[in-house]
Amino acid sequence: MRSSHPITVWLFERVDLDVALAGDLLEECARGRSAFWYWKQVLLATLIGIWGAILDHKVLALRAVATGCAVNSVWLYLWQKFLHIGLSFRLSIESITTLFIILLTQTATGWIVARTHRKHALPMVFVFAIWLTLWYPAGVDFRYLRMLLVDSIDQPRFRGYLAADIAWILVPILAEFAGLLIGGAGGARSGKRPLEPAPS
Amino acid sequence: MLTILRLGDDAYGVPISREIERQTRRAVAFGTVYATLERLQKKGLVRSNLGEATPERGGRAKRFFRVTSPGLRAVREMKRNLIRLWTGLPELEGGMA
């Protein structure tokens, strides 16, 4: 776990968690806790940190969503004006390019949201990512999926197509989410706490 | 806060979490313990200071917690309130379910 420690510290500093917690987790691992336990604790602590920051700064969270939406509106405008490509239901150069552009634009959006909310950058990027994920189904055409779902109940040969279709629906949102988090992590600065004197 | 009082000078994340697990017989997430301690600290009920960094903790210092005077008053008040709520309930007399 010692090799993972710098990653944990890096993460905790960016979600404004006490890095003494990272030391506590390492100390517990030295006493025989598993790697699974360690990463579960890191994940839980990070989620608690993010959730706490969102609850403590609701207005900032709204501002982050507004900022992200504004930036994405610009991307959407530019896409519609200059790019005439999109995702199709098969793996092609066009689809891969589209996914790459989604990843790139969302990385930029994540970075901008993080830079405009420096004190709580990662939690605010996370809020926007969640917002975007919740809105995503509104833009998806589920008719084909519904058809496949009905057909695959009694005809197993459709189940492969169903799985591929579900994957194809999930890939763009995963690319968006990953892009936002990559950009957010890049734009976030460490929120190191001031050190206090050792007890006498 | 009771756990911090129980542990005295050795109250930092690991013993606090272990003591809570021992007393409640439930697994606790370290993140939850720290989030609670941070809230208590914001309210001025506990205070903390950093100890020395050790190699076994990856060079990270221990954060020691202590209950403040307002914290001690809050604990006493809570105890009084609990006793008041507990007394006069025949269903809870004698330890029978």
Side-chain angles (χ1 to χ4, degrees), chain B residues 39-83:
Chain B
R39 270 206 306 278
L40 291 173
Q41 198 167 351
K42 273 184 189 165
K43 288 179 182 173
L45 302 175
V46 301
R47 66 186 165 85
S48 74
N49 48 10
L50 288 174
E52 282 175 23
T54 57
E56 87 162 322
R57 297 170 51 84
R60 295 290 146 189
K62 292 173 184 173
R63 185 172 286 280
F64 290 95
F65 292 90
R66 276 189 186 172
V67 178
T68 59
S69 304
L72 215 52
R73 275 200 298 276
V75 171
R76 288 199 188 106
E77 180 66 23
M78 184 65 73
K79 185 184 172 189
R80 273 196 294 273
N81 288 342
L82 274 174
I83 290 170

Side-chain angles (χ1 to χ4, degrees), chain A residues 37-195:
Chain A
W37 178 88
Y38 179 83
W39 285 110
K40 195 177 103 180
Q41 295 291 330
V42 171
L43 184 72
L44 277 172
T46 307
L47 289 177
I48 290 166
I50 287 172
W51 185 243
I54 294 166
L55 284 184
D56 288 348
H57 305 94
K58 294 184 191 84
V59 179
L60 208 62
L62 281 175
R63 204 183 82 174
V65 170
T67 308
C69 286
V71 176
N72 272 1
S73 305
V74 174
W75 296 134
L76 195 65
Y77 172 76
L78 292 173
W79 190 303
Q80 285 170 346
K81 198 162 174 70
F82 299 110
L83 292 173
H84 303 288
I85 55 171
L87 284 170
S88 54
F89 273 101
R90 62 192 171 83
L91 201 62
S92 61
I93 297 286
E94 189 184 326
S95 295
I96 292 168
T97 310
T98 305
L99 280 175
F100 183 69
I101 294 170
I102 289 174
L103 186 74
L104 215 64
T105 52
Q106 293 316 295
T107 303
T109 305
W111 188 84
I112 292 167
V113 173
R115 296 303 267 189
T116 49
H117 301 81
R118 289 183 188 212
K119 230 179 163 188
H120 306 282
L122 263 190
M124 295 307 132
V125 172
F126 202 76
V127 167
F128 179 62
I130 295 288
W131 166 269
L132 212 60
T133 309
L134 292 177
W135 272 102
Y136 180 70
V140 176
D141 187 359
F142 286 105
R143 279 174 300 180
Y144 185 61
L145 182 73
R146 212 178 302 137
M147 227 160 58
L148 279 175
L149 193 67
V150 173
D151 288 341
S152 63
I153 291 170
D154 57 344
Q155 297 173 72
R157 68 195 167 96
F158 282 108
R159 284 174 197 161
Y161 296 112
L162 179 70
D165 195 51
I166 290 171
W168 204 235
I169 286 172
L170 290 177
V171 164
I173 191 62
L174 286 176
E176 281 186 357
F177 208 90
L180 284 170
L181 291 186
I182 292 166
R189 284 199 177 154
S190 102
K192 276 183 183 164
R193 289 154 189 246
L195 290 178

Side-chain angles (χ1 to χ4, degrees), chain A residues 2 5 9 13 16-28 30-31 33 37 41 44-45 48 56 193-200, chain B residues 12-15 18 21 28-32 34-35 38 41-42 48-52 54-66:
Chain A
R2 199 158 283 272
H5 184 62
V9 171
E13 280 176 353
D16 205 19
L17 280 171
D18 195 343
V19 286
L21 171 58
D24 285 353
L25 294 179
L26 208 61
E27 191 182 323
E28 273 293 90
R31 289 178 187 174
R33 298 277 199 175
W37 178 88
Q41 295 291 330
L44 277 172
I48 290 166
D56 288 348
R193 289 154 189 246
L195 290 178
E196 291 156 55
S200 53
Chain B
Y12 70 96
V14 175
R18 286 195 163 195
E21 281 186 347
V28 290
F30 276 52
T32 321
Y34 266 82
E38 198 165 324
Q41 198 167 351
K42 273 184 189 165
S48 74
N49 48 10
L50 288 174
E52 282 175 23
T54 57
E56 87 162 322
R57 297 170 51 84
R60 295 290 146 189
K62 292 173 184 173
R63 185 172 286 280
F64 290 95
F65 292 90
R66 276 189 186 172

